[in-house]
Structures are given as structure tokens and as C-alpha cells.
């Protein structure tokens, strides 16, 4: 009986960990490269992180990923920034939002590229998830 209840606890603990979604699993891209704007989005929950504490770390993560024009709005819990990787003056925009969710924080990251620009999903996913994880680094 003791072994059965221990097994049940382990199964339930594993289930709750599996229910927590990672940044990579939440990643989505919409749009048609070169034809329409492409929107990349992902998010992750951090159970015991305060939004205010995350915001400054997130801004450093945004800078580390090569973004410029970083603007932090503490009142809204947002960071906006841009990149001009092609040197064309056509900017790619980034928005990161840290908002209270229960006792923790949900962080959303959105990256948009304009018509005629391309970015691989893998590179964008890695960059956005690096930014999101910077909230706890």
C-alpha cells in the first residue's frame, strides 16, 4: 500500500510538471514569409517571480539579443525594442510583457517582421526564449 501511494504521488508530480508549458512549446508563427508580415509569439509562466523584478532582467536580455531603442514602461510592465538587421531602415519590432498571474508572472514575447523580410522560426524561437529566460537569470 505504501508503494502504491508513493507511485501515485510521483505520477501526479510528474503530471503537474508536464502541465507547465515551456517557452519552446508555446511558440507560434503566423503569416507568409515575403508575402505578408510574419508574427512570432511565445510565453512562459514563472510561479514565484514578481513582474517588477523580472522587467529589468528582461530588458538586459533584450539588449543581449541585439535589440536597440529599448523602452521600458514599468506601469504597463512592457518592453518595446527594434532591430534593423538588414540595414534597410525597415525595423523588426519586439514587445515583451510581464504581468502578474496568481502568485507569479506570465511573460509574453512578440516579434514582428515586415512584408519582404524573412527570419527562420528556429532563430526567432531561440532568441525569444533566451529573452524570456533572462527574467530568472
Amino acid at each position: 500500500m505504501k508503494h502504491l501511494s508513493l507511485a501515485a504521488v510521483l505520477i501526479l508530480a510528474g503530471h503537474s510538471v508536464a502541465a507547465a508549458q515551456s517557452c519552446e512549446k508555446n511558440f507560434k508563427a503566423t503569416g507568409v514569409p515575403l508575402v505578408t508580415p510574419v508574427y512570432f509569439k511565445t510565453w512562459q509562466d514563472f510561479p514565484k517571480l514578481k513582474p517588477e523584478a523580472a522587467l529589468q532582467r528582461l530588458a538586459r536580455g533584450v539588449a543581449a539579443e541585439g535589440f536597440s531603442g529599448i523602452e521600458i514602461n514599468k506601469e504597463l510592465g512592457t518592453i518595446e525594442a527594434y532591430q534593423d538587421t538588414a540595414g534597410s531602415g525597415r525595423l523588426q519590432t519586439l514587445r515583451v510583457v510581464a504581468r502578474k498571474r496568481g502568485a507569479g508572472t506570465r511573460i509574453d514575447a512578440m516579434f514582428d517582421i515586415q512584408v519582404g523580410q524573412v527570419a527562420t522560426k528556429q532563430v526567432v524561437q531561440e532568441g525569444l526564449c533566451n529573452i524570456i529566460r533572462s527574467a530568472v537569470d
Side-chain angles (χ1 to χ4, degrees):
M1 182 71 165
K2 207 184 246 187
H3 295 292
L4 182 58
S5 49
L6 177 60
V9 168
L10 291 174
I11 289 170
L12 289 174
H15 177 67
S16 65
V17 170
Q21 293 288 320
S22 71
C23 176
E24 289 79 10
K25 289 189 184 208
N26 295 324
F27 183 80
K28 291 187 177 19
T30 58
V32 180
L34 298 173
V35 179
T36 68
V38 180
Y39 306 99
F40 300 95
K41 182 176 182 173
T42 190
W43 61 274
Q44 187 168 343
D45 286 324
F46 295 91
K48 295 182 181 179
L49 180 65
K50 301 241 182 285
E52 304 79 24
L55 210 52
Q56 224 27 60
R57 292 185 206 131
L58 287 165
R60 285 192 293 272
V62 168
E65 287 297 321
F67 285 86
S68 301
I70 300 169
E71 295 182 15
I72 302 170
N73 184 325
K74 291 181 182 179
E75 188 175 310
L76 296 176
T78 62
I79 299 169
E80 293 190 18
Y82 62 84
Q83 278 185 334
D84 183 8
T85 54
S88 66
R90 298 179 67 218
L91 304 177
Q92 299 98 24
T93 59
L94 171 73
R95 176 173 291 118
V96 181
V97 180
R99 58 187 159 155
K100 187 164 180 56
R101 184 172 207 165
T105 298
R106 174 179 163 144
I107 299 173
D108 291 89
M110 294 135 298
F111 181 66
D112 305 335
I113 60 174
Q114 298 181 34
V115 174
Q117 297 177 328
V118 293
T120 65
K121 287 181 183 181
Q122 182 180 0
V123 168
V124 174
Q125 179 187 48
E126 183 178 326
L128 291 179
C129 290
N130 285 342
I131 290 168
I132 287 175
R133 279 191 289 274
S134 72
V136 293
D137 288 342

